[in-house]
Amino acid sequence: MQYSDEVMDHFMNPRNVGEIEDADATGLVGNAKCGDIMKVFLKIENGIIVDVKFKTFGCGAAIATSSMATEMIKGKTLDKALELTNKAVAEALGGLPPIKMHCSLLAEQAVKSALKEYYEKHGLINDDNRHLFDMLNEDANDHA
Ligand code: FES
């Protein structure tokens, strides 16, 4: 199995590791098969993600994809962050081996789960964006 330089870089030097104590939203997800767990913390001001941190107890690809996913949503509007996909995260990392694609899905789910908490809290879920949260109910292993 071969990992890209970007994957290795984000695994060895993950960005945005840690917690935000006064986070405006958090998302905790896990993959039942591998047992890996990921938690994302968001700080949101005026509809913009001003800070994001993560903690991942998981494989190297899970750490690299969490790191990249947090980089990709930092400074973005909530709507933009909601468009994040695991494929975009994997692409930004120069690709992932097929057997590791579910790890990138965990990263997308962690971000979406935190966003969902925020959207629910603030009554922001509507007919236009509801479908973007559907993937939270899917089994990550279906996307491997
Ligand atoms: Fe479980 Fe990578 S093996 S997230």
Side-chain angles (χ1 to χ4, degrees):
M1 193 186 297
Q2 187 106 44
Y3 286 113
S4 69
D5 290 345
E6 287 88 346
V7 172
M8 288 312 292
D9 179 32
H10 278 264
F11 168 55
M12 303 293 277
N13 311 291
R15 328 298 197 256
N16 309 313
V17 173
E19 291 182 34
I20 299 175
E21 272 186 27
D22 58 343
D24 295 301
T26 59
L28 176 68
V29 293
N31 180 304
K33 277 204 181 139
C34 65
D36 291 352
I37 295 168
M38 206 178 275
K39 188 166 185 185
V40 165
F41 304 76
L42 300 178
K43 193 78 200 146
I44 296 161
E45 279 170 22
N46 300 321
I48 308 258
I49 297 173
V50 292
D51 199 11
V52 48
K53 293 261 189 285
F54 79 89
K55 273 187 153 179
T56 291
F57 181 78
C59 74
I63 290 166
T65 53
S66 328
S67 168
M68 181 55 89
T70 54
E71 283 288 274
M72 287 170 79
I73 63 166
K74 204 182 203 174
K76 297 273 160 56
T77 62
L78 294 173
D79 287 349
K80 258 276 122 335
L82 244 192
E83 288 171 12
L84 183 83
T85 64
N86 73 309
K87 289 206 173 67
V89 173
E91 260 165 42
L93 285 168
L96 281 172
I99 196 175
K100 287 283 163 186
M101 279 306 281
H102 78 271
C103 318
S104 65
L105 196 76
L106 202 60
E108 182 190 338
Q109 285 180 322
V111 167
K112 291 245 167 97
S113 160
L115 286 170
K116 188 177 181 199
E117 184 185 283
Y118 188 85
Y119 273 61
E120 277 176 347
K121 219 189 297 181
H122 297 271
L124 297 171
I125 296 190
N126 57 41
D127 289 343
D128 290 335
N129 60 31
R130 187 170 286 114
H131 68 281
L132 294 168
F133 297 104
D134 286 350
M135 54 84 64
L136 285 171
N137 305 318
E138 292 169 18
D139 183 346
N141 296 295
D142 293 344
H143 293 253

